Amino acid sequence: MIISARALLAFGLWGLLRVFFFKASGDTVFHILAEESALEGMDPVTFEIMFIIVYLIFDVAFRIYVSRSAISEGRGKKRSIAYLVVAVLYILISLFCYVVIIGDNSIGGTLIEDISAIIIDLTTLFALVVIIYSSVKVRRLRNLKKGAEEN
C-alpha cells in the first residue's frame, strides 16, 4: 500500500508535466477551451493560467491527501474511510472522462502521446485500486486480530 501511495505521488509529476506539454504543444482541447473563454469575455491567457492553477491545486491536493492517508494506514495508524471514498470517486470520474474522450475521438495528440498518456493514467488508476484493495484487507485483518484478542 505504501509503494502504491508513493507511485500515486510520482505519477502526479506526470500530470504536472502533461499540463505544461499540452499548453506548449497547442493542444486542441486546451486551445478550444481558451478560445471559448474569450467568447465569454475572459482573456484566454487569464483562462489558461486559472485552468492550470485550479487543475494543479485539485490534482496535487488529491494525490497528497490519498497518498499520505494510505502511507499512514500502511504504517499501522487508523485512518478514516474518507480517503478511500475520494479515491473511488477519482477512479469513477477518470473512467467517465475516458469514455467521453474516446467516444468523441478527441484525445488530441499524436498516437504515441495518446498511448503514453493512457498507459500512465491507467497505471495511476491501478495504483488507486491497489491502495483501496490493500486498505480493505488491512482493515479486515485488524478487525480479525481485534476479535481474536478479545476472545
Side-chain angles (χ1 to χ4, degrees):
M1 182 167 27
I2 293 173
I3 293 171
S4 293
R6 289 184 178 153
L8 184 64
L9 284 174
F11 285 120
L13 294 175
W14 164 251
L16 294 173
L17 290 174
R18 187 168 49 177
V19 168
F20 292 110
F21 286 145
F22 283 161
K23 171 65 178 114
S25 69
D27 179 55
T28 54
V29 174
F30 197 77
H31 191 66
I32 289 169
L33 289 174
E35 286 177 357
E36 287 180 10
S37 70
L39 295 175
E40 295 178 11
M42 180 184 280
D43 178 41
V45 174
T46 304
F47 168 80
E48 291 173 0
I49 291 170
M50 287 176 47
F51 180 84
I52 290 170
I53 290 171
V54 169
Y55 173 80
L56 294 179
I57 287 172
F58 282 111
D59 191 59
V60 170
F62 156 76
R63 289 176 189 279
I64 289 172
Y65 174 67
V66 171
S67 295
R68 288 181 55 94
S69 297
I71 289 170
S72 177
E73 187 161 14
R75 290 184 175 155
K77 296 179 184 170
K78 251 190 163 176
R79 298 296 300 185
S80 76
I81 199 167
Y83 85 95
L84 297 175
V85 172
V86 170
V88 168
L89 287 174
Y90 186 88
I91 290 170
L92 294 175
I93 290 169
S94 295
L95 292 175
F96 174 75
C97 289
Y98 267 110
V99 167
V100 169
I101 289 170
I102 291 171
D104 289 344
N105 289 330
S106 60
I107 295 179
T110 66
L111 182 62
I112 298 296
E113 290 171 346
D114 293 343
I115 290 172
S116 64
I118 289 171
I119 289 171
I120 291 176
D121 289 344
L122 289 176
T123 306
T124 298
L125 295 180
F126 179 75
L128 284 170
V129 169
V130 169
I131 288 170
I132 293 166
Y133 176 79
S134 299
S135 178
V136 169
K137 284 292 192 184
V138 165
R139 289 168 187 258
R140 284 185 183 162
L141 289 172
R142 249 191 228 132
N143 288 338
L144 286 174
K145 184 179 176 185
K146 187 190 295 184
E149 289 174 356
E150 290 176 0
N151 291 331

